[in-house]
Amino acid sequence: MTEIPRERIRNFCIVAHIDHGKSTLADRLLEVTGTVSARDHRAQFLDNMDLERERGITIKAQTARMKYRAPDGDSYVLNLIDTPGHVDFSYEVSRALAACEGAVLVVDASQGIEAQTLANAYLAIDAGLEIIPVLNKIDLPSAEPDRVAREIEEVVGLDASDVLLVSAKEGKGVAELLERIVERVPAPEGDRDAPTRALVFDSWFDPYVGAVLLVRVVDGRLSVRDRVRFMATGSEREVQQLSVIEPYPCPVASLAAGEVGIVVAGLKTLAEVRIGDTITSRDGPAAEALVGFREAKPMVFAGLYPVEAEAYRDLKAALEKLKLNDSSFAYEPETSVALGFGFRCGFLGFLHGEIIQERLEREYDLDLITTAPTVRYRVVPKSGEPFEIESPAALPEPGDLDHIEEPMISATIHVPSEYVGAVLALCQDRRGTQQDMAVHGSRVQIRYRLPLGEVVTDFHDRIKSATRGYGSYDYEFMGYERAPLVKLDILVNGDMVDALSLIVHRDKAHSQGTELARKLKEFIPRQMYEVAIQAAIGTKVIARTTVKALRKNVTAKCYGGDITRKRKLLEKQKRGKRRMKKVGNVEIPQEAFLAALKLGDE
Amino acid sequence: MQGEPTVGLYVHVPFCERICPYCDFAVVAARRLGPEREDRYIDALLAELERRAPDFAGHSLASLYLGGGTPSLLRPESVRRVIEEAQRHFAPLAPVEITLEVNPSSVERERLPAFRAAGVGRLSIGIQSFDDTRLQRLGRAHKAEEGRRTLAAARAAGFDNVSLDLLFAGPAPQAEPGGEASEVLLDRDLDATLEFGPEHVSAYELTLEAGTPFAAAAQAGVLRLPDEETAAALIERVEERLTAAGYERYEISSYARPGFRAVHNQRYWLRAPVLGIGMGAWSSEPPSPGAPHGVRRANSRQLETYLERVESGRSPAGEPEPLTPAIARGEAVFLSLRRREGLAAAGFAAEFGAPPRHFFAPAIEALTEAHLLTESTDGDLTLTARGRMLSDSVFAHFV
Ligand SMILES: Nc1nc2c(ncn2[C@@H]2O[C@H](COP(=O)(O)OP(=O)(O)OP(=O)(O)O)[C@@H](O)[C@H]2O)c(=O)[nH]1
Ligand code: SF4
Ligand SMILES: [Mg+2]
């Protein structure tokens, strides 16, 4: 097989705000280039995880290689990376950018510019990529291509006359887009005669071959049987398999500078894989490694515990495997008085946490209890060094505390002007301070400084509901700030349930304590004994409720064939109990541990 | 089991004048049960009996129960045929309790003397309530007055063993304008019951069974049952008044005057063999070397399927359910505990090789500590008063 000349390669990604149609556009590109036949086709082809298909969103960036014959007769190899749009997964986007020279920036012609449009556009511009702006969904009656094109020019700074009009749904404008990609996106640079350097920009785990690495070869080439060195970890391996994704893996003998492909090199454990590592050849190594990635920093933390203690080892094994597929989440062992042995896990955001939990439950068949998500606080003790905590239970006694600092963000919120009032009220309620506000036509960009802890769980949903779905937001971490925070504890029949503790602002403690106690009462079913629920700050009880003892649980009649059925009902009742966690002599259902998420719902 | 082996025969008659909205029994609506349809069904019953009797060979008949459905829709001669055939197949263990379920209606009332002549010795009358509004709300076909007359007719026909069904905690009447409290209604029903003075009372609360119109109505929020507190108070009221009047609460929902416990029903709680024939009927076959804890078997719940299978010489039963030791142990506990006498450790050990404590120590300890269960020095288990009220929570520990 002859090597593909560098000038005939185009590497690009598709970036956009969530739901603006990236994956659908990728479908059309795969189809028009004949990479996927209509027969194999299903919508959002590259979203292949069950969860992605159910939720209709992209979670993990996906790559596909396409052959394209330009109208002038020349053939090209196009490598496409479809990226996720949700803010939690922007780390996926930034890694994809490192493998590309161009980015197709998709903007929904009926929605206009939204928070992640800007965030991702800036990421691509900062990475030095050629941007190809595309207005999608022009088939919609509500599309306003002229207005949105002007917005793109005004806000992003790209020439409005350069914007391509596309309907990914109907395939309109897709051929033009392919031509534009070939014309505008620069061919990859890099020296095929220099010592090999390949950037590992993604990895996942295959039960048969171990870690599968997605790489972009920057210099030189990789061939099967090459002895290679991973520059960051120092491990040396032999290349066992190389493939390109078309969009099913297709083995190749080598990958040359400019190409993107898959490497299997017998890496079996987590310690051996590092995203952002550089692969070089063992015998003629490169002098310098490529610039890797800043490690993704988890922002949201929650405890994950097996419902049944015996499943701890299974959970541990599952977390290890999942981490190989998703390097952006973190976990470490944690013990809870109430829940026993489990793990404190760190996620990029709330959605990311939900997805990890769901994958653990489904792909690894685990029953889990998740505690309410929290952020990382900085604790300054009266004596000794400041330290960070990722769990309310880890907060020292008030007497030992000098003060607590909480993580702050700068949120950029995009809304149509009629909803500004509602959004300001929401930000104010979340202890925000306004920074600025700019008007672009009918849309307003508002910036607020907010405590991260006030936005992690439901801020996005609240913005959506306050703006009938038209608002969106993005955020940037801004460091720590001192705040009067207190630990809110929950006592069940007098015993503190550490897994239910929260860190809250002093001024909100009373109302949140009362509400949390009330919510718990809804979640905890009546049992044989009366259950007293108390919310307390330190030793001071600020709210209490009781779940009355079960008065009656009896089936009236039982004879004849009822016996088998009756037994099955009893068995079902017993199974229901197993899914509850026994704290003292009180059975607490899984959902109760997330009661804190329901605060503010009515 | 000691003594001579016995069998209880259950005969299911699925026909009802109309289907009550809370009922999930194996029933078919038959406004008028024509003689042809009746004969075809009885023929099938007897054919099935012929076929199944050998499985219970050597067992003598302890009880015969004609249940439904509404078996009193049958003509007395049909009932006679069934009784005679049963006694032909199984030597009667004198005296055999022969029960017929009766719904209050004029036709059935007139037949009571003939039923008695056919051999029926005990009636179980589906009175449910003595209040017209309540009966109507339950969707029952009869009026309170008909109930009273049926009771009187039973006595007049010479029945000295009568059981009466009471259905309480029905649709919450106080939810409606002018409605009376459930407690008041229950008291009036109990007054009327005691005035008649049956030998036996089955008093049970209305239960919402999945798939019934009542369950759907409750789901939709148009039907409200009394809350847990009220329902519990009603159960206590029934117990209080009936025991004060000399009845013994010998099972969670069964009350009897001395000497009048239901022989047939007790077989279920004692796990004694029962041969069930007819559409949807269940059987508990006696232990055998291959199935040391017996086998349970259910007939088809579809009338046509049942008839066709029997008529073509095939079995109307589905897959047999062999009772594993674990299942049998669980059932032994929860069925015995329904009875006043509870679970005898010695009998249990004879069947399972060790007393209950050997298998269920943590549950027994937790439940005795919670005052739901009492354990005697011999290891016998009985429910406490609170345990009876929370019996399902108790039983769930053993299945
Ligand atoms: N009418 C119309 N609908 C479109 C078009 N392109 C995409 N859609 C619809 O928009 C929705 C989102 O499309 P996706 O392709 O999943 O969007 P995405 O940008 O990949 O979303 P994320 O990966 O979750 O960020 C789907 O319901 C698509 O069918 C289009 O050109 N016209
Ligand atoms: S009469 Fe009895 S068996 Fe017949 S439908 Fe009513 S409740 Fe069911
Ligand atoms: Mg997508």
Side-chain angles (χ1 to χ4, degrees):
Chain A
M1 201 166 80
T2 53
E3 206 155 70
I4 301 147
R6 266 197 307 111
E7 322 75 74
R8 292 297 174 84
I9 299 177
R10 298 292 183 272
N11 297 314
F12 69 97
C13 53
I14 310 182
V15 297
H17 188 76
I18 188 161
D19 273 352
H20 280 204
K22 297 173 290 293
S23 302
T24 309
L25 181 58
D27 286 352
R28 290 300 89 71
L29 294 172
L30 292 174
E31 239 169 58
V32 169
T33 55
T35 315
V36 173
S37 69
R39 184 171 52 87
D40 287 353
H41 202 75
R42 49 166 205 235
Q44 283 98 35
F45 184 88
L46 295 177
D47 290 345
N48 48 27
M49 246 189 272
D50 283 350
L51 266 176
E52 291 181 314
R53 304 197 65 79
E54 272 167 37
R55 293 187 177 228
I57 59 167
T58 304
I59 294 169
K60 200 162 165 71
Q62 291 293 346
T63 308
R65 174 163 158 159
M66 310 177 283
K67 296 201 181 76
Y68 171 64
R69 182 177 286 265
D72 62 11
D74 288 342
S75 289
Y76 292 86
V77 162
L78 307 183
N79 197 74
L80 157 137
I81 305 180
D82 179 23
T83 65
H86 191 279
V87 57
D88 279 12
F89 308 114
S90 65
Y91 183 59
E92 289 277 317
V93 180
S94 61
R95 282 181 295 145
L97 296 172
C100 301
E101 282 73 39
V104 173
L105 176 67
V106 176
V107 183
D108 183 325
S110 69
Q111 296 279 328
I113 293 203
E114 297 197 62
Q116 270 72 47
T117 314
L118 265 192
N120 289 331
Y122 289 149
L123 280 179
I125 292 168
D126 290 349
L129 267 52
E130 178 69 28
I131 313 278
I132 300 182
V134 161
L135 279 185
N136 187 32
K137 309 196 188 180
I138 54 157
D139 57 289
L140 288 176
S142 56
E144 295 179 85
D146 296 338
R147 176 182 73 77
V148 178
R150 271 199 315 279
E151 244 179 54
I152 292 180
E153 179 161 310
E154 222 176 282
V155 185
V156 194
L158 299 169
D159 190 347
S161 63
D162 227 21
V163 174
L164 280 174
L165 300 187
V166 168
S167 164
K169 187 174 166 199
E170 294 175 354
K172 223 180 283 167
V174 173
E176 291 80 351
L177 173 59
L178 280 167
E179 270 179 62
R180 183 70 61 92
I181 289 167
V182 167
E183 183 188 305
R184 291 281 178 87
V185 175
E189 290 177 1
D191 184 350
R192 288 186 173 178
D193 299 322
T196 300
R197 291 198 299 174
L199 179 69
V200 178
F201 69 94
D202 201 355
S203 83
W204 57 90
F205 193 80
D206 180 290
Y208 300 105
V209 299
V212 178
L213 310 176
L214 190 59
V215 305
R216 158 72 192 267
V217 184
V218 175
D219 287 319
R221 62 179 51 71
L222 281 172
S223 303
V224 174
R225 312 210 74 84
D226 275 0
R227 308 286 309 185
V228 293
R229 172 180 303 156
F230 291 83
M231 296 180 79
T233 62
S235 61
E236 292 181 357
R237 284 284 183 294
E238 188 187 272
V239 174
Q240 296 170 344
Q241 288 173 32
L242 292 173
S243 356
V244 291
I245 310 176
E246 288 187 322
Y248 305 102
C250 171
V252 291
S254 69
L255 289 170
E259 288 187 278
V260 169
I262 284 176
V263 177
V264 170
L267 303 176
K268 300 280 185 195
T269 66
L270 195 58
E272 296 169 286
V273 179
R274 194 162 302 170
I275 304 286
D277 206 345
T278 302
I279 306 178
T280 192
S281 89
R282 187 189 64 178
D283 300 325
E288 262 182 74
L290 297 161
V291 183
F293 305 103
R294 238 191 316 148
E295 223 185 300
K297 258 199 142 192
M299 293 290 217
V300 179
F301 301 83
L304 288 186
Y305 291 83
V307 173
E308 287 180 67
E310 310 84 72
Y312 176 80
R313 287 179 164 283
D314 298 340
L315 173 58
K316 182 163 188 249
L319 286 168
E320 270 167 22
K321 290 236 175 75
L322 206 55
K323 169 94 184 167
L324 289 172
N325 289 319
D326 181 354
S327 62
S328 58
F329 93 96
Y331 65 93
E332 56 184 57
E334 174 183 76
T335 332
S336 150
V337 182
L339 300 179
F341 294 102
F343 295 89
R344 176 86 353 202
C345 300
F347 311 105
L348 299 177
F350 185 61
L351 176 66
H352 185 220
E354 268 188 3
I355 301 247
I356 295 279
Q357 191 206 332
E358 242 182 282
R359 289 186 66 183
L360 286 168
E361 296 204 315
R362 282 192 197 192
E363 294 169 30
Y364 300 91
D365 196 24
L366 293 164
D367 262 348
L368 297 177
I369 288 178
T370 316
T371 64
T374 177
V375 297
R376 185 190 273 129
Y377 294 95
R378 228 171 90 89
V379 175
V380 182
K382 284 213 172 102
S383 59
E385 288 297 302
F387 57 94
E388 290 179 346
I389 57 164
E390 292 160 4
S391 155
L395 193 69
E397 291 298 313
D400 299 334
L401 268 182
D402 186 77
H403 67 269
I404 312 175
E405 295 172 4
E406 63 180 336
M408 300 298 291
I409 57 159
S410 171
T412 309
I413 306 160
H414 288 246
V415 282
S417 48
E418 59 265 44
Y419 302 115
V420 169
V423 169
L424 296 187
L426 176 66
C427 292
Q428 225 51 54
D429 178 55
R430 299 297 168 96
R431 300 194 281 123
T433 341
Q434 194 178 336
Q435 293 170 294
D436 60 39
M437 176 141 63
V439 181
H440 304 290
S442 64
R443 287 181 80 89
V444 181
Q445 178 182 319
I446 309 164
R447 283 205 306 132
Y448 253 85
R449 187 176 163 85
L450 287 152
L452 179 63
E454 293 277 347
V455 304
V456 276
T457 54
D458 63 344
F459 193 63
H460 191 252
D461 291 344
R462 289 295 150 97
I463 293 226
K464 285 280 171 202
S465 57
T467 61
R468 297 182 178 232
Y470 289 111
S472 59
Y473 98 106
D474 183 50
Y475 67 81
E476 223 182 317
F477 178 58
M478 299 297 283
Y480 280 86
E481 196 175 283
R482 182 172 174 157
L485 300 169
V486 293
K487 180 156 149 269
L488 178 67
D489 292 321
I490 294 292
L491 289 81
V492 172
N493 276 358
D495 294 332
M496 191 176 100
V497 183
D498 56 355
L500 286 170
S501 295
L502 297 177
I503 291 178
V504 299
H505 193 269
R506 197 180 50 208
D507 297 348
K508 291 185 168 184
H510 201 275
S511 61
Q512 294 202 339
T514 311
E515 217 188 322
L516 184 56
R518 211 179 57 222
K519 285 283 172 212
L520 283 168
K521 180 178 170 170
E522 286 169 25
F523 281 112
I524 299 179
R526 284 182 167 207
Q527 357 216 313
M528 306 238 195
Y529 305 90
E530 181 169 286
V531 179
I533 303 168
Q534 295 171 307
I537 295 170
T539 52
K540 190 165 155 251
V541 172
I542 56 166
R544 72 176 81 224
T545 65
T546 47
V547 179
K548 284 215 216 130
L550 187 62
R551 180 80 160 83
K552 178 198 84 103
N553 181 22
V554 45
T555 359
K557 269 194 292 195
C558 174
Y559 30 75
D562 279 336
I563 294 168
T564 293
R565 208 176 50 128
K566 170 79 187 186
R567 189 189 72 235
K568 291 198 168 139
L569 287 174
L570 291 170
E571 283 165 358
K572 193 169 150 204
Q573 186 176 330
K574 182 168 182 173
R575 277 196 301 278
K577 261 183 201 287
R578 269 204 217 114
R579 288 178 67 86
M580 294 204 242
K581 201 81 194 181
K582 201 149 187 185
V583 178
N585 58 12
V586 180
E587 275 154 350
I588 305 182
Q590 279 166 303
E591 315 83 66
F593 291 94
L594 287 174
L597 290 184
K598 302 279 191 292
L599 297 182
D601 285 5
E602 239 18 90
Chain B
M1 212 157 304
Q2 352 137 305
E4 182 179 3
T6 61
V7 62
L9 180 63
Y10 175 78
V11 179
H12 190 75
V13 181
F15 310 104
C16 288
E17 288 201 310
R18 64 183 202 213
I19 311 287
C20 305
Y22 54 87
C23 179
D24 78 332
F25 295 140
V27 288
V28 290
R31 185 70 196 87
R32 283 255 130 59
L33 181 60
E36 258 168 58
R37 202 170 179 202
E38 178 175 337
D39 291 343
R40 182 177 174 205
Y41 188 75
I42 298 292
D43 289 345
L45 277 179
L46 300 183
E48 193 194 358
L49 178 59
E50 182 83 42
R51 181 192 167 93
R52 294 296 306 282
D55 295 346
F56 294 78
H59 288 61
S60 51
L61 189 66
S63 62
L64 167 57
Y65 193 101
L66 288 120
T70 314
S72 51
L73 291 179
L74 298 179
R75 286 167 291 156
E77 60 261 40
S78 298
V79 172
R80 179 189 296 275
R81 276 179 76 197
V82 171
I83 293 174
E84 279 172 5
E85 280 297 296
Q87 297 187 332
R88 189 171 68 78
H89 283 289
F90 301 109
L93 184 84
V96 181
E97 179 195 85
I98 300 181
T99 308
L100 176 74
E101 283 183 353
V102 175
N103 269 351
S105 85
S106 55
V107 188
E108 296 160 76
R109 204 155 51 234
E110 283 155 19
R111 289 176 176 168
L112 290 180
F115 284 139
R116 183 154 178 82
V120 175
R122 181 173 182 268
L123 296 181
S124 167
I125 306 181
I127 290 289
Q128 317 308 348
S129 171
F130 292 93
D131 181 273
D132 278 341
T133 324
R134 161 60 57 92
L135 286 169
Q136 196 191 353
R137 220 183 269 110
L138 285 171
R140 297 291 303 196
H142 72 275
K143 287 245 190 287
E145 187 48 37
E146 275 186 300
R148 288 203 168 81
R149 279 203 228 144
T150 302
L151 291 173
R155 288 295 192 226
F159 285 101
D160 52 6
N161 188 356
V162 173
S163 175
L164 187 152
D165 276 359
L166 270 190
L167 182 55
F168 62 92
Q174 69 271 36
E176 286 165 32
E180 287 171 295
S182 301
E183 293 87 334
V184 178
L185 264 174
L186 175 66
D187 260 334
R188 274 213 307 270
D189 278 348
L190 289 170
D191 290 342
T193 302
L194 293 175
E195 195 186 310
F196 170 69
E199 284 62 42
H200 186 280
V201 179
S202 294
Y204 52 95
E205 314 148 67
L206 179 68
T207 316
L208 295 174
E209 304 287 356
T212 60
F214 265 21
Q219 186 92 47
V222 292
L223 174 81
R224 267 190 37 214
L225 295 186
D227 59 26
E228 199 179 301
E229 266 334 303
T230 313
L234 297 179
I235 295 175
E236 283 166 353
R237 188 75 180 143
V238 172
E239 173 168 31
E240 188 185 303
R241 292 205 52 195
L242 291 182
T243 42
Y247 293 86
E248 182 189 47
R249 186 182 186 187
Y250 71 98
E251 188 265 348
I252 286 179
S253 47
S254 310
Y255 295 82
R257 290 212 168 135
F260 287 99
R261 290 188 181 191
V263 174
H264 185 81
N265 286 351
Q266 291 196 96
R267 298 187 73 82
Y268 295 109
W269 307 314
L270 293 167
R271 298 168 55 247
V274 171
L275 168 58
I277 57 171
M279 166 189 142
W282 288 74
S283 299
S284 292
E285 292 170 10
S288 64
H293 305 288
V295 171
R296 197 166 292 133
R297 213 185 279 267
N299 283 352
S300 168
R301 274 175 78 101
Q302 300 299 318
L303 183 58
E304 270 314 307
T305 315
Y306 170 77
L307 290 171
E308 278 166 19
R309 292 242 184 105
V310 176
E311 286 163 358
S312 61
R314 287 175 297 156
S315 162
E319 284 295 296
E321 181 195 359
L323 301 172
T324 64
I327 288 180
R329 279 195 296 271
E331 292 192 354
V333 176
F334 84 73
L335 291 170
S336 304
L337 286 180
R338 291 189 69 92
R339 299 173 73 239
R340 181 182 192 85
E341 288 72 23
L343 176 69
F348 184 93
E351 181 175 357
F352 299 106
R357 186 164 260 286
H358 175 80
F359 301 99
F360 301 114
I364 292 174
E365 257 144 49
L367 293 165
T368 45
E369 196 182 322
H371 303 296
L372 295 165
L373 201 63
T374 319
E375 188 184 26
S376 76
T377 45
D378 297 334
D380 298 344
L381 302 175
T382 44
L383 291 177
T384 62
R386 186 154 183 256
R388 277 195 291 279
M389 199 63 97
L390 295 173
S391 56
D392 283 355
S393 304
V394 174
F395 298 162
H397 284 81
F398 297 95
V399 293

